[in-house]
Amino acid sequence: MGDGLERLLEGRRLSPAQRRIARYLDGHLAEAIFLSSVELADRAGVSQPSVTRFAMALGFAGYPELRQALRPLVVGGDDGAADPHAPAGAGAGGRAAPRANGLQAAIDAEVGNLRAVREGLADPSAITELGAALAGCEPLPVLGLRVSSGLATTFAYYARRIHPDVRLLVHGGSELADGLHAARRAGAAWLLAVVLPRYPAEAVRALADARGIGLRTAVITDRRDVPFDADVVLAAPVGERLVFDSHAAPLALAMVLVEAMADAAPLRTQARLEEYERMTDRAGVFVC
């Protein structure tokens, strides 16, 4: 996105509809500053109230104030930029590299998220210590509700290859409460939870309930300053450039945690992986 529009959006948590508006503005800003809220809604494929809520989410009283703030980004007056669509790095008489399109920019942002995870592992002690604790926790309950269920399921799938008793909890209500209590009665000391934005209220309550029955809690989420309590927080930013969040960095962090669990119990890991390979060979599970 252009620098000025990027600054307006920085630090804002947008809904899927609001992201569609942001993407439209990024690609059509010179046109959008002359559109009414109804016209912008039609072009972006959202409702007119969504445009108003988008403007208010950026701190404006309404869409007219947002449109007024956007005009200098096109006609000049914002750091001297005359055209937010000019190629990045263009100079007098110089040939600039082509500007990334919106989809490429979304992937660029994910690359940055992965770099943030990498930098956070400069001191791997937090991951290795948690990996050792989870490796020694039998059974190991793994929680993930709503959008977080996919990552929780992936983590549990791989963790079961190296851990004897992983219990996946992806359904709420009384079934979730029963699962937590059953795991605790069976000897569990930890709960690993995936709690990604927008932080399901039921998942947050489950974390509190788990701590209430004596479980320690570790959470894979998008940032450290989350609005709920956990004993260990593993943070990996989510991609917010598309209509829906993308979770490349949290997935990478989850796989690093599985690796730490494997390293914490090397003999068991080796034995279980060899057993798994023999089973899949006998059953013809894989083509190659």
Side-chain angles (χ1 to χ4, degrees), residues 1 23 98-111 241-242:
M1 295 185 180
R23 285 190 63 189
R99 178 173 175 262
N101 63 44
L103 298 179
Q104 289 175 314
I107 301 303
D108 289 341
E110 281 287 45
V111 172
R241 294 297 191 102
L242 302 173

mmCIF file of all heavy atoms in Angstrom, residues 1 23 98-111 241-242:
data_model
loop_
_atom_site.group_PDB
_atom_site.id
_atom_site.type_symbol
_atom_site.label_atom_id
_atom_site.label_comp_id
_atom_site.label_asym_id
_atom_site.label_seq_id
_atom_site.Cartn_x
_atom_site.Cartn_y
_atom_site.Cartn_z
ATOM 1 N N MET A 1 0.836 -1.191 0.000
ATOM 2 C CA MET A 1 0.000 0.000 0.000
ATOM 3 C C MET A 1 0.878 1.250 0.000
ATOM 4 O O MET A 1 2.023 1.210 0.431
ATOM 5 C CB MET A 1 -0.917 0.004 1.225
ATOM 6 C CG MET A 1 -1.941 -1.115 1.231
ATOM 7 S SD MET A 1 -3.078 -0.971 2.596
ATOM 8 C CE MET A 1 -4.085 -2.421 2.286
ATOM 9 N N ARG A 23 -8.288 -2.845 0.557
ATOM 10 C CA ARG A 23 -7.669 -3.349 -0.666
ATOM 11 C C ARG A 23 -8.143 -2.571 -1.878
ATOM 12 O O ARG A 23 -7.372 -2.289 -2.798
ATOM 13 C CB ARG A 23 -7.970 -4.833 -0.839
ATOM 14 C CG ARG A 23 -7.166 -5.738 0.085
ATOM 15 C CD ARG A 23 -7.317 -7.189 -0.302
ATOM 16 N NE ARG A 23 -6.787 -7.425 -1.646
ATOM 17 C CZ ARG A 23 -6.944 -8.558 -2.320
ATOM 18 N NH1 ARG A 23 -7.634 -9.548 -1.769
ATOM 19 N NH2 ARG A 23 -6.444 -8.709 -3.513
ATOM 20 N N PRO A 98 9.095 -2.541 -10.485
ATOM 21 C CA PRO A 98 7.637 -2.494 -10.447
ATOM 22 C C PRO A 98 7.113 -2.656 -9.029
ATOM 23 O O PRO A 98 7.658 -3.419 -8.233
ATOM 24 C CB PRO A 98 7.223 -3.672 -11.334
ATOM 25 C CG PRO A 98 8.400 -4.585 -11.329
ATOM 26 C CD PRO A 98 9.598 -3.698 -11.235
ATOM 27 N N ARG A 99 6.055 -1.934 -8.729
ATOM 28 C CA ARG A 99 5.443 -1.995 -7.403
ATOM 29 C C ARG A 99 4.697 -3.313 -7.246
ATOM 30 O O ARG A 99 4.019 -3.778 -8.157
ATOM 31 C CB ARG A 99 4.484 -0.818 -7.253
ATOM 32 C CG ARG A 99 3.725 -0.742 -5.937
ATOM 33 C CD ARG A 99 2.973 0.575 -5.906
ATOM 34 N NE ARG A 99 2.140 0.660 -4.716
ATOM 35 C CZ ARG A 99 0.842 0.391 -4.707
ATOM 36 N NH1 ARG A 99 0.256 -0.005 -5.818
ATOM 37 N NH2 ARG A 99 0.132 0.521 -3.600
ATOM 38 N N ALA A 100 4.823 -3.917 -6.078
ATOM 39 C CA ALA A 100 4.136 -5.180 -5.824
ATOM 40 C C ALA A 100 2.633 -4.966 -5.864
ATOM 41 O O ALA A 100 2.115 -3.946 -5.388
ATOM 42 C CB ALA A 100 4.546 -5.738 -4.461
ATOM 43 N N ASN A 101 1.915 -5.924 -6.454
ATOM 44 C CA ASN A 101 0.463 -5.832 -6.422
ATOM 45 C C ASN A 101 -0.047 -6.257 -5.045
ATOM 46 O O ASN A 101 0.729 -6.678 -4.185
ATOM 47 C CB ASN A 101 -0.173 -6.662 -7.549
ATOM 48 C CG ASN A 101 0.131 -8.153 -7.419
ATOM 49 O OD1 ASN A 101 0.065 -8.724 -6.336
ATOM 50 N ND2 ASN A 101 0.440 -8.793 -8.544
ATOM 51 N N GLY A 102 -1.360 -6.156 -4.853
ATOM 52 C CA GLY A 102 -1.911 -6.406 -3.523
ATOM 53 C C GLY A 102 -1.665 -7.807 -3.023
ATOM 54 O O GLY A 102 -1.388 -8.017 -1.829
ATOM 55 N N LEU A 103 -1.751 -8.797 -3.901
ATOM 56 C CA LEU A 103 -1.538 -10.173 -3.474
ATOM 57 C C LEU A 103 -0.071 -10.418 -3.132
ATOM 58 O O LEU A 103 0.253 -11.109 -2.155
ATOM 59 C CB LEU A 103 -2.003 -11.131 -4.568
ATOM 60 C CG LEU A 103 -3.497 -11.056 -4.907
ATOM 61 C CD1 LEU A 103 -3.839 -12.032 -6.015
ATOM 62 C CD2 LEU A 103 -4.350 -11.325 -3.671
ATOM 63 N N GLN A 104 0.826 -9.845 -3.937
ATOM 64 C CA GLN A 104 2.254 -9.968 -3.623
ATOM 65 C C GLN A 104 2.577 -9.276 -2.297
ATOM 66 O O GLN A 104 3.381 -9.785 -1.505
ATOM 67 C CB GLN A 104 3.086 -9.363 -4.749
ATOM 68 C CG GLN A 104 3.078 -10.163 -6.031
ATOM 69 C CD GLN A 104 3.814 -9.454 -7.146
ATOM 70 O OE1 GLN A 104 3.620 -8.254 -7.362
ATOM 71 N NE2 GLN A 104 4.648 -10.189 -7.858
ATOM 72 N N ALA A 105 1.948 -8.126 -2.067
ATOM 73 C CA ALA A 105 2.185 -7.416 -0.811
ATOM 74 C C ALA A 105 1.733 -8.241 0.383
ATOM 75 O O ALA A 105 2.356 -8.218 1.451
ATOM 76 C CB ALA A 105 1.466 -6.067 -0.826
ATOM 77 N N ALA A 106 0.635 -9.002 0.217
ATOM 78 C CA ALA A 106 0.170 -9.866 1.305
ATOM 79 C C ALA A 106 1.194 -10.942 1.623
ATOM 80 O O ALA A 106 1.462 -11.243 2.792
ATOM 81 C CB ALA A 106 -1.172 -10.503 0.932
ATOM 82 N N ILE A 107 1.794 -11.518 0.590
ATOM 83 C CA ILE A 107 2.827 -12.531 0.810
ATOM 84 C C ILE A 107 4.083 -11.899 1.397
ATOM 85 O O ILE A 107 4.736 -12.481 2.268
ATOM 86 C CB ILE A 107 3.149 -13.269 -0.501
ATOM 87 C CG1 ILE A 107 1.882 -13.943 -1.051
ATOM 88 C CG2 ILE A 107 4.245 -14.301 -0.285
ATOM 89 C CD1 ILE A 107 1.220 -14.905 -0.094
ATOM 90 N N ASP A 108 4.425 -10.694 0.932
ATOM 91 C CA ASP A 108 5.572 -9.987 1.515
ATOM 92 C C ASP A 108 5.378 -9.791 3.014
ATOM 93 O O ASP A 108 6.319 -9.932 3.807
ATOM 94 C CB ASP A 108 5.755 -8.628 0.842
ATOM 95 C CG ASP A 108 6.253 -8.744 -0.585
ATOM 96 O OD1 ASP A 108 6.803 -9.812 -0.941
ATOM 97 O OD2 ASP A 108 6.088 -7.773 -1.353
ATOM 98 N N ALA A 109 4.138 -9.448 3.400
ATOM 99 C CA ALA A 109 3.857 -9.264 4.826
ATOM 100 C C ALA A 109 4.031 -10.572 5.589
ATOM 101 O O ALA A 109 4.535 -10.580 6.720
ATOM 102 C CB ALA A 109 2.446 -8.719 5.016
ATOM 103 N N GLU A 110 3.632 -11.688 4.983
ATOM 104 C CA GLU A 110 3.803 -12.988 5.643
ATOM 105 C C GLU A 110 5.276 -13.339 5.780
ATOM 106 O O GLU A 110 5.690 -13.930 6.779
ATOM 107 C CB GLU A 110 3.070 -14.076 4.861
ATOM 108 C CG GLU A 110 1.578 -14.107 5.114
ATOM 109 C CD GLU A 110 1.219 -14.648 6.489
ATOM 110 O OE1 GLU A 110 1.864 -14.258 7.496
ATOM 111 O OE2 GLU A 110 0.296 -15.461 6.576
ATOM 112 N N VAL A 111 6.064 -12.997 4.775
ATOM 113 C CA VAL A 111 7.510 -13.216 4.893
ATOM 114 C C VAL A 111 8.065 -12.440 6.081
ATOM 115 O O VAL A 111 8.889 -12.949 6.859
ATOM 116 C CB VAL A 111 8.221 -12.814 3.587
ATOM 117 C CG1 VAL A 111 9.736 -12.843 3.760
ATOM 118 C CG2 VAL A 111 7.818 -13.748 2.447
ATOM 119 N N ARG A 241 -3.361 -8.811 5.451
ATOM 120 C CA ARG A 241 -3.490 -8.094 4.187
ATOM 121 C C ARG A 241 -4.617 -8.622 3.306
ATOM 122 O O ARG A 241 -4.991 -7.971 2.342
ATOM 123 C CB ARG A 241 -2.172 -8.166 3.416
ATOM 124 C CG ARG A 241 -1.007 -7.432 4.062
ATOM 125 C CD ARG A 241 -1.277 -5.937 4.141
ATOM 126 N NE ARG A 241 -0.093 -5.188 4.519
ATOM 127 C CZ ARG A 241 0.662 -4.501 3.668
ATOM 128 N NH1 ARG A 241 0.354 -4.477 2.390
ATOM 129 N NH2 ARG A 241 1.722 -3.849 4.088
ATOM 130 N N LEU A 242 -5.101 -9.818 3.580
ATOM 131 C CA LEU A 242 -6.166 -10.414 2.798
ATOM 132 C C LEU A 242 -7.497 -10.260 3.527
ATOM 133 O O LEU A 242 -7.532 -9.793 4.665
ATOM 134 C CB LEU A 242 -5.855 -11.888 2.533
ATOM 135 C CG LEU A 242 -4.529 -12.148 1.812
ATOM 136 C CD1 LEU A 242 -4.229 -13.636 1.746
ATOM 137 C CD2 LEU A 242 -4.538 -11.546 0.414
#
